[in-house]
Amino acid sequence: MRLPPAMIGHTEAVLREVLRFTGPADGTLSRYFRENPRLGGRERGVIAEAIYGLLRNKSVYTSFSESGSGSVMRRITLLGLADAVGIDALGGLTEEEDAWLRRVMDIDRAHLPLALKSNMPDWLWQKLASKFGEDEAMKLASALNTPASLDLRVNALKSNREDVIASLAQAPILAEPTPYSPFGLRVIKKPSIQNLPLFKDGTIEVQDEGSQILAQLLGAKRGEMVADFCAGAGGKTLALGATMRNTGRLYAFDISEKRLAKLKPRLARSGLSNVHPVVIAHERDAKIKRLAGKLDRVLVDAPCSGLGTLRRNPDVKWRQTQAGVAELNVKQASILDSAARLVKAGGRLVYATCSILDEENEGIVAQFLATHPDFSLLPASQVLEEQKIQLEMGDYLKLYPHKHNTDGFFAAVFQRNKSVAKAAVKDEANADQSAE
């Protein structure tokens, strides 16, 4: 079935907006679809697929678009649509455009230079090649440029994986257990699940397996006091609440009231009553100071570059900059420092990002350990073994899409030493009083 010629114009219009990189691509697409309600579901799907394909392959498509005739933006648009639905499905092509498209789409991309084939901005490709070597960096880049699978987390308060697999099969939706997370399911293909009874009643939540593992690293137990320090929309908060079996007290802190508002309907579906969402002004809000030295466990899923999530958000690599990462480093160190004050003697602190850059990960950890003698690093391998998660790791959790079929994640686990923690808490309290 051929697409109407107007589809090229719609896709080009959206692309112009997206390539300004003034905000996330999904927000731009949603706004455009609201402004053009006559576009049907299939048409919206094709436009979205073409745009995301263009963002994943932007370097190659920009290079290819240097040939041909007409505007560069139209040529790039045609390449995205041809990749999404095939050349024969495109209506409104001139003979010249058709011939050019077929010639360009036949180019063997395996012979392109690695830096171009990576479809990464130059600064990021150089970092990856330096860290992993060109061959490994290319495998990582290729995986990051491939759409992610659909992962679900089964709410252990309501069901188990086997029963959910059986229920999904009646839809019919095929799913299989994820290899690492004990609560994860990987759905075959990517069906819509929002209208499923299992989703509406909170039995399942959409959550990448890597994100599920981060929640497991915290090791939250029944009856404990726990905080998700940068809760956002609350995916990990919900996982932690279920792990705690809906007991104890779980704080969901975030500076964004809008993000926390997205947690409320998910919380209502989940059946959890131990979660307490709290909007804070900043990482040193008075609401946090009152809990200093009182919490058993604190998770810091820090604001980061998001470069581990390119399978889902390919525009991030083009919107992020080295200067932006440097600004994030300052924020990450400050947030981790503040969150650490909540942890009681013998308690656990987990620092995590969805980044693959050393300066957001090992660099922040080294800085933290150098300035916080009351904390010790717990090897991730040890913690994973405690949680019965079969993952070969060293001191840190490092997940990569080309190795683990998850988003890119990093995590470090700390324990607050009992011998020096009380003195540290006292010093912090005195410092707070002086500041006031």
Side-chain angles (χ1 to χ4, degrees):
M1 180 178 174
R2 288 174 71 84
L3 295 172
M7 283 290 288
I8 297 174
H10 280 298
T11 307
E12 183 177 345
V14 178
L15 183 61
R16 286 183 186 278
E17 287 295 317
V18 168
L19 292 184
R20 291 192 174 99
F21 297 121
T22 55
D26 58 351
T28 302
L29 280 164
S30 296
R31 185 175 67 253
Y32 188 85
F33 293 152
R34 285 195 304 272
E35 293 170 354
N36 294 271
R38 291 188 178 182
L39 288 170
R42 178 174 180 266
E43 293 167 322
R44 292 195 298 270
V46 168
I47 291 171
E49 186 178 351
I51 295 297
Y52 277 94
L54 283 162
L55 291 168
R56 291 189 175 97
N57 298 284
K58 180 172 171 287
S59 296
V60 169
Y61 287 162
T62 300
S63 177
F64 286 175
S65 69
E66 291 173 2
S67 64
S69 59
S71 75
V72 171
M73 193 65 69
R74 180 176 172 89
R75 294 201 296 271
I76 294 176
T77 301
L78 294 180
L79 288 166
L81 284 167
D83 236 7
V85 296
I87 299 171
D88 292 334
L90 298 182
L93 295 178
T94 66
E95 286 186 18
E96 186 178 2
E97 286 175 332
D98 186 283
W100 171 78
L101 262 181
R102 294 182 189 280
R103 185 170 67 253
V104 170
M105 296 301 284
D106 279 343
I107 294 174
D108 186 352
R109 302 184 193 184
H111 295 107
L112 295 174
L114 285 181
L116 178 62
K117 192 165 60 173
S118 75
N119 279 292
M120 297 287 172
D122 185 63
W123 71 269
L124 179 56
W125 169 249
Q126 295 303 327
K127 280 183 179 291
L128 297 183
S130 176
K131 178 177 179 178
F132 297 101
E134 286 191 340
D135 289 346
E136 185 77 6
M138 194 64 236
K139 291 176 184 176
L140 173 57
S142 296
L144 286 169
N145 288 326
T146 301
S149 57
L150 174 61
D151 289 356
L152 307 175
R153 179 183 58 80
V154 175
N155 183 350
L157 298 179
K158 297 199 170 189
S159 191
N160 57 64
R161 290 201 290 191
E162 292 71 25
D163 289 347
V164 170
I165 288 173
S167 296
L168 288 173
Q170 296 175 12
I173 294 173
L174 297 178
E176 59 189 18
T178 50
Y180 310 119
S181 168
F183 306 108
L185 292 176
R186 184 153 291 143
V187 178
I188 312 304
K189 298 183 180 179
K190 296 184 77 170
S192 175
I193 66 163
Q194 279 77 9
N195 294 320
L196 293 178
L198 285 171
F199 181 81
K200 289 182 175 180
D201 70 10
T203 301
I204 56 174
E205 276 282 345
V206 176
Q207 187 176 25
D208 183 78
E209 185 184 20
S211 180
Q212 296 180 41
I213 294 169
L214 289 188
Q216 290 288 299
L217 277 184
L218 197 64
K221 297 177 181 177
R222 292 173 182 263
E224 291 186 329
M225 289 183 69
V226 178
D228 186 352
F229 201 75
C230 306
K236 297 179 190 69
T237 306
L238 298 176
L240 291 171
T243 302
M244 296 166 69
R245 304 302 298 177
N246 202 22
T247 64
R249 193 169 184 87
L250 174 55
Y251 294 96
F253 292 118
D254 204 273
I255 60 171
S256 171
E257 188 172 1
K258 185 177 180 181
R259 283 196 294 264
L260 280 181
K262 294 179 181 179
L263 169 60
K264 290 183 179 178
R266 302 173 76 185
L267 199 54
R269 292 196 303 265
S270 73
L272 292 172
S273 58
N274 66 335
V275 177
H276 302 271
V278 181
V279 180
I280 56 176
H282 45 74
E283 63 266 25
R284 295 192 178 276
D285 193 300
K287 297 171 188 173
I288 295 169
K289 289 181 182 179
R290 288 195 288 268
L291 295 170
K294 296 179 180 179
L295 271 60
D296 296 281
R297 299 169 197 268
V298 177
L299 172 63
V300 180
D301 183 12
C304 70
S305 65
L307 291 169
T309 68
L310 297 183
R311 301 187 307 166
R312 306 170 195 282
N313 308 301
D315 55 311
V316 166
K317 62 186 173 184
W318 307 114
R319 292 194 289 119
Q320 194 54 264
T321 64
Q322 292 189 79
V325 172
E327 290 177 10
L328 283 166
N329 294 158
V330 176
K331 184 181 296 185
Q332 289 155 353
S334 178
I335 288 173
L336 181 56
D337 175 70
S338 184
R341 306 161 83 195
L342 300 180
V343 183
K344 72 181 186 182
R348 178 174 293 183
L349 172 67
V350 172
Y351 172 76
T353 74
C354 52
S355 174
I356 51 178
L357 299 181
D358 289 348
E359 54 262 50
E360 297 187 85
N361 299 330
E362 292 94 334
I364 299 297
V365 171
Q367 182 180 337
F368 176 77
L369 288 172
T371 54
H372 293 77
D374 51 325
F375 281 87
S376 299
L377 186 71
L378 288 178
S381 56
Q382 173 188 323
V383 180
L384 290 166
E385 187 176 349
E386 290 171 1
Q387 297 296 321
K388 297 181 173 58
I389 295 176
Q390 302 298 312
L391 262 172
E392 292 292 328
M393 292 287 158
D395 284 345
Y396 307 118
L397 177 78
K398 296 181 182 181
L399 298 174
Y400 298 108
H402 68 302
K403 292 182 176 180
H404 308 105
N405 199 18
T406 66
D407 285 344
F409 281 106
F410 171 90
V413 185
F414 309 98
Q415 180 171 302
R416 194 164 203 180
N417 307 322
K418 293 182 179 180
S419 58
V420 291
K422 290 182 180 178
V425 170
K426 186 176 180 180
D427 291 343
E428 288 165 358
N430 290 337
D432 288 340
Q433 288 175 359
S434 299
E436 292 167 359

